[in-house]
Amino acid sequence: MAPRIGGFKPEALEIVTDGFCENNCIGRFQFGKVYRGVGEFSDHTVKLFEKVDNYEVRPGDNEGRVQDEDCLTGDDRVLSHPNMVEFLGISYPTERPAVVYKMQALDTVHNLLDKDSFSWLQRVKVAYGFASVVASLHDCRPIPYILRNISAAHIMLDQDCNPKLYDFSMISGGILPDKRELLNQYVHGCHGYIDPDYVCNGKWSEKCDVFAFGVVLLGLISKKVVLDEAKKTNPEPFLYEWAYSEYQMKQQGLKLDVCKFSLVHRCLEEEPLFSFQDGVTLTVLAMQCVDFNPLMRPTMKQVVQRLRKLCIIQNNPDLFDLENTPAASSFSISGIGKLLVRKLEVYSKMPRNMPKALFKKLMGNDFSKLVEKELQYLAPIILTYDNLKRITDGFSGENYIDIHQFGKLYHGKIGCRAVTVKTLEATVGTSIIKSGDNENRLNDELVLLQHPRFISHPHIVKLIGYCYEDERLGAVYDLESLDCLVNLIEKGMHSQLFPNLICER
């Protein structure tokens, strides 16, 4: 698939960023760094994907993320929102995939959170603008977009302090594959923003985004920064745990009036546009968003509606491009303290495979079927091109089956186990294959063959492993293949045909 937006060569990005000079580095996002453009490219921002220390990145992962962003540009529902970054181009496939945006960046919200120059008005604008864009993504139908990695580091302010969502590394749904129930999800969001309910149950939903937004909102009002896991020097609580702890401390020995409970930093209360009522409303809204029970959290649409009723927005609608709206409605807080009780249990071990709760939902209450399902699924292994050569005896003619539309098929052996190997090649057949096409096809296949709806289907191959090594791509299936259907028809072997594309012996 050819890029929908303009292509940038790696050497062009060197010019835009002055050789990726550290002075032009704005900060880190989940899977790399983001840079300002310089000189005539000062209205450019470059997001560079690279391997990182605190999140697992497997071969092809970052290329797949760039592919998703390229596809996003085909959805006008996404591009039209004022708080969505404007896409300019991509650099892909290369050793250092990147996305280029048209944005004169100021800084990320993560970097600005604890700075006194980041005013109360700017913080509320960030909260409202970011909530608005997330709500619009959730409203897309038939399948909503879910970001799954909301973080203050993924919100960029332009020179006018307008918040822009600029990272989509884990986005799911919409016109992209629905990844909510994929098996073998080894990246679970951003440290400090991960929904504990997801960790317990393995189920992504819009409420996971709501939880992460609540953490962002807590940081905005309290001036507290969510530290990267690598920067934490002691087991200090997560930001949302701190918020619950503050609530409990005020409860002890006193009858806490929820209508007077605020987590707003004192220096922000001194600003002229601050009102105590807004501080309380934002505090309660943030705590509702990080409620342990996802059913008690508001939707992002409800979050936007409540933000619109803030005094600062009511009294300054022109600053938020809004007209006056009715007064705020009542609120409630539930589940206080549950996160503190479950902290060690929930975060002691992040799940590497599909949690049992999700299997139970898919399989019903039959525990024997549950166990059988878990034993059947094994995460695909990462193979090298040399591995593929050994499996097929050097892609020998004896093991050759036939060509497929975008490559070749081979018999293979892993020990005593018969397998089938598929390669993806740019020079096979008559199909036009552009740069990055086969990489995209392999990424799509990895999504499909790890979806719980398809792993147990009798007429869909089971994925053992894959190779993503520069332009040498391939997949290995748990299949002792006989031949392609077309070959069997030509040989007149109709009595041996099965419904499979490649018939089993």
Side-chain angles (χ1 to χ4, degrees), residues 210-231:
V210 174
F211 182 91
F213 172 82
V215 178
V216 172
L217 185 55
L218 285 171
L220 286 168
I221 64 177
S222 67
K223 294 186 64 177
K224 289 185 175 293
V225 180
V226 177
L227 295 177
D228 293 337
E229 188 173 11
K231 294 182 179 179

Side-chain angles (χ1 to χ4, degrees), residues 336-378:
I336 301 300
K338 291 181 181 177
L339 291 180
L340 296 175
V341 176
R342 297 289 298 277
K343 177 183 177 181
L344 292 179
E345 175 187 348
V346 170
Y347 278 92
S348 61
K349 184 177 181 181
M350 297 295 286
R352 288 290 174 181
N353 292 318
M354 193 178 193
K356 289 186 177 181
L358 186 51
F359 272 110
K360 288 180 180 178
K361 180 175 181 181
L362 295 170
M363 299 299 295
N365 296 322
D366 190 329
F367 186 73
S368 63
K369 288 185 178 179
L370 167 63
V371 174
E372 181 183 354
K373 190 74 171 180
E374 288 186 290
L375 292 175
Q376 284 179 357
Y377 176 74
L378 294 173

Side-chain angles (χ1 to χ4, degrees), residues 187-407:
V187 180
H188 306 280
C190 293
H191 179 76
Y193 296 85
I194 302 171
D195 179 4
D197 183 72
Y198 162 74
V199 177
C200 290
N201 300 316
K203 177 67 175 178
W204 289 105
S205 73
E206 295 96 313
K207 293 302 180 72
C208 297
D209 281 356
V210 174
F211 182 91
F213 172 82
V215 178
V216 172
L217 185 55
L218 285 171
L220 286 168
I221 64 177
S222 67
K223 294 186 64 177
K224 289 185 175 293
V225 180
V226 177
L227 295 177
D228 293 337
E229 188 173 11
K231 294 182 179 179
K232 296 181 74 170
T233 57
N234 53 61
E236 58 191 272
F238 290 113
L239 182 52
Y240 54 85
E241 293 174 322
W242 166 82
Y244 276 113
S245 177
E246 289 291 305
Y247 183 91
Q248 288 183 319
M249 287 176 59
K250 293 181 182 295
Q251 266 190 325
Q252 293 174 357
L254 296 171
K255 185 177 180 181
L256 177 65
D257 185 351
V258 178
C259 295
K260 295 181 181 179
F261 176 58
S262 172
L263 292 174
V264 177
H265 195 278
R266 288 186 178 180
C267 73
L268 295 174
E269 293 179 348
E270 300 173 359
E271 297 197 17
L273 291 178
F274 175 83
S275 76
F276 185 75
Q277 179 182 342
D278 284 353
V280 172
T281 300
L282 287 170
T283 297
V284 174
L285 179 58
M287 295 190 68
Q288 285 180 324
C289 290
V290 297
D291 196 303
F292 188 84
N293 182 358
L295 297 178
M296 299 301 296
R297 299 172 197 161
T299 64
M300 287 307 301
K301 187 174 183 179
Q302 291 171 328
V303 168
V304 172
Q305 291 171 345
R306 295 178 191 181
L307 290 173
R308 285 177 177 171
K309 298 168 187 175
L310 294 172
C311 295
I312 189 172
I313 295 180
Q314 291 284 296
N315 297 332
N316 303 276
D318 54 317
L319 298 179
F320 296 86
D321 194 25
L322 293 173
E323 297 181 356
N324 291 331
T325 53
S329 58
S330 59
F331 48 75
S332 63
I333 300 178
S334 72
I336 301 300
K338 291 181 181 177
L339 291 180
L340 296 175
V341 176
R342 297 289 298 277
K343 177 183 177 181
L344 292 179
E345 175 187 348
V346 170
Y347 278 92
S348 61
K349 184 177 181 181
M350 297 295 286
R352 288 290 174 181
N353 292 318
M354 193 178 193
K356 289 186 177 181
L358 186 51
F359 272 110
K360 288 180 180 178
K361 180 175 181 181
L362 295 170
M363 299 299 295
N365 296 322
D366 190 329
F367 186 73
S368 63
K369 288 185 178 179
L370 167 63
V371 174
E372 181 183 354
K373 190 74 171 180
E374 288 186 290
L375 292 175
Q376 284 179 357
Y377 176 74
L378 294 173
I381 58 177
I382 301 170
L383 301 167
T384 66
Y385 193 70
D386 284 340
N387 292 148
L388 298 188
K389 290 172 71 174
R390 284 196 294 270
I391 291 170
T392 60
D393 192 20
F395 300 109
S396 68
E398 182 180 349
N399 285 322
Y400 176 73
I401 301 174
D402 207 340
I403 65 170
H404 62 92
Q405 187 175 9
F406 302 109

